[in-house]
Amino acid sequence: MKKIEKINALTELEIFSRIPIFQSLSASERSCFLTDDVVFFIVEKDEYVIRQNDNDHYFYILLSGHLEVTKNANNALIAYIEPGQFVGEIGFITNQPRTAHVKALEKSVVIQIDHNIMNRLPIKVRDQLKDQIITGLVERISHLNDELIESHEIQNKADKTNEGSSKAVIQLADDWENTGKTG
């Protein structure tokens, strides 16, 4: 990832005002993020923002482009991240190793947020940001639950189809056996 060296404060405020996680904050509350600790990065296509099992503890907000979240060596797809969404919140909150890979699907721009920034925020702003993170996590869990239910329904239909096919094969075998005995 390549750090964007200088963004003027007015532009940063405009950017923060357009990001859903910050929209509940007033302009003065958003200005708390105008510090040198808030870092903007350009992420090239196929470049990793986060690697599973790494021990960094940032979370990222996607400004432009698209990211994918995958898990394990087989890169099982977990989610796509769209502009305005955030990623990396689990490692950020828990201080545990990263639970998934996050890779850019195209040239993207992200904001990196760390604990130093969070710790310096006024309590009201910090609480509002935490509430937004929790809301985002709940939305992701709900979406994953829906996908899991849909997957189970598809599997159940496949199982019933296979069960019917198995019964038909057994019936054919029985018929053949009975035909062979009488003939």
Side-chain angles (χ1 to χ4, degrees), residues 17 51 54 57 62 78 95 98 101 104-105 115-116 138 169 173:
S17 72
R51 289 188 184 270
D54 279 359
H57 302 294
L62 181 62
I78 306 274
N95 287 318
R98 296 301 189 164
H101 299 291
L105 294 174
H115 287 282
N116 292 331
V138 168
V169 168

Side-chain angles (χ1 to χ4, degrees), residues 78 134-150:
I78 306 274
I134 290 168
T135 298
L137 284 168
V138 168
E139 288 170 0
R140 285 193 187 148
I141 289 169
S142 177
H143 175 74
L144 290 172
N145 282 340
D146 290 344
E147 285 186 358
L148 188 59
I149 289 167
E150 183 179 328

Side-chain angles (χ1 to χ4, degrees), residues 143-179:
H143 175 74
L144 290 172
N145 282 340
D146 290 344
E147 285 186 358
L148 188 59
I149 289 167
E150 183 179 328
S151 175
H152 282 287
E153 289 171 352
I154 291 169
Q155 184 62 46
N156 286 340
K157 285 179 185 176
D159 289 346
K160 287 179 183 176
T161 300
N162 288 340
E163 183 181 301
S165 296
S166 295
K167 286 180 181 178
V169 168
I170 291 169
Q171 184 63 48
L172 282 172
D174 287 346
D175 291 348
W176 179 77
E177 187 177 88
N178 292 334
T179 305

Side-chain angles (χ1 to χ4, degrees), residues 3 11 16 46 90 93 100 102 117 127 129 153-154 156 168:
K3 181 178 177 182
T11 301
F16 283 116
D46 295 327
I90 294 172
I93 292 168
V102 178
I117 296 164
D127 286 347
L129 193 57
E153 289 171 352
I154 291 169
N156 286 340

Side-chain angles (χ1 to χ4, degrees), residues 64-79:
S64 67
H66 291 86
L67 306 175
E68 71 175 357
V69 182
T70 61
K71 192 164 179 78
N72 301 328
N74 66 346
N75 290 320
L77 182 63
I78 306 274

